[in-house]
Amino acid sequence: MAEVAAAGKSGKVVIQNIGLLLSGDIDQPILQADTIVVQDGLIAAVGRYKDCDVEGATTVIDARQTCVAPGLIDSHVHPVAGDWTPRQSQLNWIESSMNGGVTTMISAGEVHYPGRPKDIVGLKALAITAQRAFDAFRPGGVKVLAGAPVIEKGMVESDFKELAEAGVGLLGEVGLGSVKAGYEAKEMVAWARKYGIQSTIHTGGPSIPGSGLIDKDVVLEADADIIGHINGGHTSLPEAHVCELCEKSTRGIEIVHNGNERVAIAAARAALELKCPHRVILGTDGPAGSGVQPLGILRMIAMLSSLANIPAELVFCFATGNTARMRKLNCGLIDKGYAADFVFLDRAQHTPGRTLLESVQLGDLPGVGMVMIDGIVRCGRSRNTPPATEVPVVVSGAH
């Protein structure tokens, strides 16, 4: 349907005939609009067709009454080098996830790097290299925010200052290295925060050699910005402890695919009952021993909507606007000035759900008909999702 553009500006793009527009904003998840205008990769206008300036478009896309949502954000991945993971010796896992609607990924540490350096000079060098490499290389157009060092004993405040000045903005999962005590983690997390570096803490049982149990008391004492895989990666803390973390901490509640599904549901329900659904974000925690999950975020959305009985339009916000706001990203929300990263969705063929949202609420995955990143079409009908009933069409122009 359209060639994938490797680079360049989108020009003016008009997306019309939208049947359902999901905003990514949990306070207003559905927008009463049918048209989006994009200018050079950023959203220029959202509204009714008659009220938008649609003249002079380089590209016009007929959404065919399908749903347009912000591109999905995977809050927890473990990249290594380019679009390859040694964890499963697999190529093109990032591009494959783009076919599942993911347009942005956030590293929780490049922990699967063969021979990963654990000395302080080496871990800083690896983080800076990963940040630089993924900033320059975007598989399938996906924005991979990488360079997340795993902190080790012996690090001092100046190390975090140096990392921040070099462009590193993330810490890998606290607890995957030698720093496992709450008081040690708390000091380093505070140093990171001082220099604008966001932190995530491992939660639950060990996942890889060298990691260990991180219990609720360590999580609370460390006070990292994100409670990483609160439902375990893979092994969860007791459900009561997870609910206690939701209640006693004010930090991000990250629920992942590669964790305990029962506890995932409990954590999401706890957030709703505590009236803080804006804290819930979603990740896959892949690649991992359980593999690569190109549809992991969509599967999380369908699971939480159907089994936790949360309206599908709210769960989509967990994977888009919630993450964007928590991570301070210029994507994940459909509003003027945000990146034009979109996934076009429709109910899967032959689902019993009468609408897209109803089908997701019933537990079915939606079909992806198109993915755009920075206003450029990156794929048409997904090769990974069930086939969408309707797919958008490029009626003029192409990239």
Side-chain angles (χ1 to χ4, degrees):
M1 178 169 52
E3 266 188 293
V4 174
K9 296 285 188 179
S10 69
K12 184 172 182 177
V13 181
V14 172
I15 304 167
Q16 61 192 38
N17 196 23
I18 299 168
L20 172 67
L21 188 53
L22 299 180
S23 69
D25 182 354
I26 203 159
D27 295 321
Q28 187 186 4
I30 297 175
L31 296 176
Q32 301 304 313
D34 61 11
T35 302
I36 300 172
V37 179
V38 174
Q39 186 65 55
D40 290 338
L42 298 177
I43 299 171
V46 181
R48 296 293 183 186
Y49 184 82
K50 63 182 177 60
D51 300 321
C52 294
D53 175 11
V54 298
E55 298 301 317
T58 308
T59 304
V60 177
I61 295 174
D62 179 357
R64 301 277 298 273
Q65 284 294 296
T66 60
C67 168
V68 176
L72 306 178
I73 304 171
D74 188 337
S75 176
H76 194 124
V77 297
H78 291 294
V80 172
D83 205 355
W84 167 72
T85 172
R87 196 73 168 95
Q88 295 295 337
S89 192
Q90 184 168 333
L91 291 168
N92 301 325
W93 68 276
I94 296 172
E95 188 269 344
S96 198
S97 295
M98 183 271 292
N99 270 261
V102 173
T103 56
T104 298
M105 292 179 165
I106 301 167
S107 175
E110 293 75 39
V111 296
H112 303 315
Y113 195 96
R116 172 173 62 92
K118 298 180 182 180
D119 65 289
I120 295 169
V121 172
L123 73 86
K124 289 190 293 186
L126 175 59
I128 294 166
T129 299
Q131 186 274 326
R132 295 287 194 279
F134 281 102
D135 190 53
F137 178 65
R138 291 171 48 182
V142 176
K143 301 166 183 176
V144 182
L145 307 181
V150 175
I151 58 175
E152 302 284 355
K153 289 185 177 184
M155 294 184 76
V156 295
E157 182 175 346
S158 60
D159 292 316
F160 295 88
K161 184 174 186 289
E162 180 186 346
L163 284 164
E165 288 174 347
V168 171
L170 301 165
L171 288 190
E173 288 177 63
V174 176
L176 294 186
S178 57
V179 176
K180 292 182 174 65
Y183 70 92
E184 290 178 310
K186 179 179 181 179
E187 181 177 47
M188 293 190 185
V189 162
W191 286 335
R193 191 174 289 132
K194 177 178 178 180
Y195 295 106
I197 299 174
Q198 192 174 68
S199 56
T200 296
I201 190 164
H202 178 94
T203 309
S207 57
I208 59 172
S211 64
L213 170 67
I214 302 295
D215 64 23
K216 68 178 178 63
D217 295 324
V218 174
V219 172
L220 289 170
E221 186 174 6
D223 193 34
D225 297 303
I226 308 292
I227 304 173
H229 52 60
I230 197 169
N231 61 316
H234 306 277
T235 307
S236 173
L237 296 176
E239 187 174 314
H241 292 189
V242 169
C243 292
E244 187 177 338
L245 286 175
C246 293
E247 184 174 6
K248 289 187 175 179
S249 173
T250 60
R251 302 302 184 178
I253 298 168
E254 184 186 76
I255 302 173
V256 300
H257 182 278
N258 286 349
N260 184 309
E261 294 178 341
R262 177 188 174 96
V263 175
I265 293 164
R269 293 300 310 167
L272 263 67
E273 289 163 10
L274 292 165
K275 296 183 168 39
C276 57
H278 59 281
R279 289 171 54 200
V280 181
I281 60 178
L282 304 182
T284 56
D285 194 8
S290 59
V292 171
Q293 299 84 21
L295 304 183
I297 298 297
L298 285 176
R299 295 188 69 82
M300 290 294 295
I301 291 169
M303 182 191 74
L304 292 175
S305 179
S306 59
L307 298 182
N309 197 28
I310 303 172
E313 62 269 26
L314 294 185
V315 186
F316 272 101
C317 297
F318 296 170
T320 55
N322 278 9
T323 313
R325 284 173 168 161
M326 201 168 294
R327 300 290 196 170
K328 299 178 173 59
L329 305 178
N330 188 43
C331 60
L333 292 159
I334 294 185
D335 199 1
K336 187 175 179 179
Y338 282 84
D341 300 347
F342 309 126
V343 55
F344 294 71
L345 303 161
D346 198 18
R347 57 195 287 273
Q349 292 177 14
H350 304 297
T351 174
R354 293 165 296 176
T355 66
L356 168 74
L357 295 178
E358 184 179 313
S359 71
V360 173
Q361 193 86 39
L362 290 172
D364 282 332
L365 297 184
V368 169
M370 180 184 285
V371 176
M372 297 183 76
I373 303 177
D374 295 325
I376 297 172
V377 176
R378 303 293 178 168
C379 76
R381 188 190 286 277
S382 170
R383 69 173 186 266
N384 291 332
T385 63
T389 301
E390 292 285 350
V391 296
V393 175
V394 179
V395 293
S396 69
H399 296 287

